Amino acid sequence: MNISKQILDELNIIIPLNDNLGGSMENAIRISCPDSMLNVLIQNEIIDFILNEEPWKKVEQSLIFDEDKKYDVIKVIELLDDGSTKKHVFWFDITECFYTS
């Protein structure tokens, strides 16, 4: 059983995906879960889905502040069957994950 997938199903999270979603700040994937541990699971599941469950490895993660927005930028390498790798960058808008006072 895939625990991460079960959590996403239980939370009823719907992720609208298109070809370039998450590829830049302008089309970042918006996440609004206030639990930072769930954010990691959600981001990993989205990356798995976009990369068709191919093996990948996170090589860098950055928190970017742009005006009133906050972005999590994750750089990964996809491990291809022929032994080569392909780089990907995923932008997540995590503005709603921060508590406001």
Side-chain angles (χ1 to χ4, degrees), residues 83-96:
S84 64
T85 60
K86 183 177 180 183
K87 295 179 183 179
H88 299 274
V89 178
F90 297 97
W91 285 77
F92 294 92
D93 180 346
I94 57 171
T95 305
E96 295 179 25

Side-chain angles (χ1 to χ4, degrees), residues 1-82:
M1 175 187 294
N2 184 332
I3 301 299
S4 300
K5 177 78 169 105
Q6 182 180 1
I7 290 170
L8 290 176
D9 289 344
E10 287 177 14
L11 293 173
N12 293 320
I13 295 172
I14 298 171
I15 304 163
L17 295 175
N18 60 41
D19 288 342
N20 62 357
L21 185 63
S24 68
M25 183 185 295
E26 292 75 24
N27 63 1
I29 300 166
R30 191 171 50 133
I31 298 178
S32 61
C33 182
D35 184 331
S36 62
M37 291 308 294
L38 282 179
N39 284 339
V40 171
L41 289 173
I42 292 167
Q43 289 171 342
N44 288 345
E45 284 296 317
I46 292 170
I47 292 169
D48 276 344
F49 183 78
I50 292 173
L51 297 181
N52 297 315
E53 302 289 331
E54 294 295 328
W56 57 273
K57 179 180 178 180
K58 187 183 300 184
V59 293
E60 186 179 334
Q61 186 166 359
S62 305
L63 181 60
I64 307 291
F65 295 88
D66 184 59
E67 296 181 16
D68 61 341
K69 295 279 194 176
K70 295 165 186 70
Y71 298 93
D72 208 0
V73 181
I74 299 175
K75 296 180 181 178
V76 304
I77 54 170
E78 180 181 3
L79 309 171
L80 303 174
D81 290 337
D82 64 3

